[in-house]
Amino acid sequence: MEQWPTVPAAVVVDPDVAGPSSSPGRRRVGVPLAVAVAVVLLAELVVRGASSRLAAPSAWPSPELQKKYDRIVALAGAHRRTDVVLVGDSMLDAAGDPSALRAAGAPPGIYNASIAGETLPAIADWTERIVVPRLHPRLVVIGFSANELNPAVLAPASGFAAYRRSRAVRAASGNGDVVDRADAFLRQHSYLYRYRDVLRHPLGDPAAAAVFDPPLAADGHDLNFADQGYLAGGLPHAKSIVTGIMATLAGFKVGPDNVAILQHLLAWLRGQGIAALFVAMPVTADLISLFPGGAPTYQGATAAFQSVAAGTAATFVAPGTWPTSLFADPVHLNGAGTARFSSYLAPLISSAAR
């Protein structure tokens, strides 16, 4: 049988004899430890005091996600009633103005939880695991562009896999391990930890990738396009926008996996007893012309949207093609377009939210 090793008599210490002589050793350890703790506490206080002048840190895949998550948590913590939630891509992010919808007769509690720059599975996961469980809406308005049906948007390297690799996402979704939960705890309670990346790169991280960080209203409305005329940034700007759209639509087709994700989201909402209003967002004729195959391809995508909605008992609407004067580019509505969209959508929300 294995036995614990015995302690040689020569090294057995009598505390009454050796106690006083060991205190210098304890002091040699204790003093540096106390100094280290004091330095950390001082640094924590300094960062807390300077936090208003530091760039806002983001533990989420984009600053917009971070801001909207923080706002959703605040609304839930304050027990603010949220009757209607808007979720979708950048098109609804820019077009969904809760204040204008309320002014047009929609219910008072509306929050725009749409997220720009994320893919369809990320938007569905965000809706099911983050938004709805915290805000408990009676109605979810889903607004997408036809491009969300393109299999290319499901690319794992830049899409859902990147979203789910985030510790903040995993912790907030309830899927995190002990490290993810510890990370969330430290970000909440320690400014030194929360701002660690900013402190390491005080002049900005040159290796950081471009991320979506539009100006947001308190109700989640993306204000980035509000004051822009149609492709008003000049010819180089217009060319870059159109080139980007064409690259996004290259090889467009209706992907069965994309359809399945939408079906699951709408069926999940129905299972939760939440009404769904599915909007095929208004577009320009310019955008339709950029689809491979033009109008027939775009109409096929709209028909797929309608079929998904019908199969899940969701209300479906398609505003169609609107004038370019209402857009900042072929995709995103500007301030005038948002006002028209609000007038169009508010009665539909009032009816569906009953």
Side-chain angles (χ1 to χ4, degrees):
M1 183 189 307
E2 182 180 2
Q3 295 182 348
W4 292 105
T6 58
V7 179
V11 298
V12 175
V13 178
D14 184 341
D16 293 332
V17 174
S21 65
S22 64
S23 56
R26 286 199 295 268
R27 284 198 296 270
R28 284 196 295 270
V29 174
V31 171
L33 180 60
V35 170
V37 171
V39 168
V40 170
L41 291 176
L42 178 61
E44 175 73 23
L45 292 174
V46 169
V47 176
R48 282 176 181 261
S51 60
S52 62
R53 298 187 294 275
L54 295 174
S58 178
W60 287 69
S62 74
E64 181 183 30
L65 271 168
Q66 176 80 66
K67 293 173 184 177
K68 291 203 171 184
Y69 173 73
D70 290 344
R71 181 59 178 164
I72 287 168
V73 169
L75 290 171
H79 304 290
R80 292 278 296 276
R81 180 172 177 177
T82 307
D83 296 306
V84 182
V85 166
L86 315 180
V87 295
D89 56 20
S90 64
M91 295 180 75
L92 187 57
D93 202 29
D97 182 354
S99 61
L101 288 168
R102 289 191 295 269
I110 306 176
Y111 185 74
N112 187 342
S114 302
I115 45 176
E118 296 297 334
T119 59
L120 175 59
I123 294 169
D125 191 82
W126 160 258
T127 302
E128 295 177 19
R129 294 180 180 272
I130 305 294
V131 178
V132 169
R134 286 168 171 79
L135 296 182
H136 306 289
R138 291 188 291 130
L139 171 69
V140 171
V141 179
I142 301 171
F144 280 132
S145 64
N147 184 54
E148 296 298 341
L149 293 176
N150 192 350
V153 307
L154 302 183
S158 59
F160 193 43
Y163 173 84
R164 292 302 296 274
R165 278 197 299 268
S166 165
R167 289 196 184 282
V169 170
R170 292 198 299 263
S173 301
N175 296 327
D177 57 20
V178 63
V179 177
D180 299 326
R181 293 193 293 273
D183 174 76
F185 177 85
L186 288 171
R187 280 188 288 103
Q188 180 180 359
H189 297 286
S190 171
Y191 279 62
L192 189 59
Y193 184 85
R194 187 186 311 172
Y195 285 88
R196 65 195 185 282
D197 291 332
V198 177
L199 297 172
R200 281 198 290 260
H201 303 282
L203 300 179
D205 185 358
V211 291
F212 287 87
D213 190 14
L216 298 175
D219 52 23
H221 180 213
D222 177 352
L223 304 173
N224 195 44
F225 304 95
D227 59 353
Q228 296 184 24
Y230 188 68
L231 296 175
L235 184 58
H237 171 72
K239 287 181 65 175
S240 68
I241 293 292
V242 172
T243 300
I245 292 173
M246 292 178 67
T248 302
L249 294 175
F252 178 88
K253 61 181 180 181
V254 175
D257 290 342
N258 306 59
V259 169
I261 292 169
L262 283 174
Q263 287 174 331
H264 181 275
L265 174 58
L266 290 169
W268 181 85
L269 289 170
R270 184 181 181 186
Q272 300 295 310
I274 299 170
L277 172 59
F278 190 5
V279 184
M281 296 297 292
V283 297
T284 60
D286 289 347
L287 178 65
I288 295 175
S289 70
L290 295 175
F291 275 79
T297 302
Y298 176 78
Q299 291 162 1
T302 303
F305 277 153
Q306 186 171 16
S307 177
V308 169
T312 54
T315 302
F316 176 76
V317 293
T321 306
W322 287 7
T324 57
S325 60
L326 301 177
F327 289 80
D329 57 43
V331 178
H332 301 102
L333 291 170
N334 58 21
T338 296
R340 173 169 167 177
F341 185 69
S342 299
S343 297
Y344 171 88
L345 192 62
L348 299 172
I349 288 177
S350 296
S351 176
R354 289 173 185 163

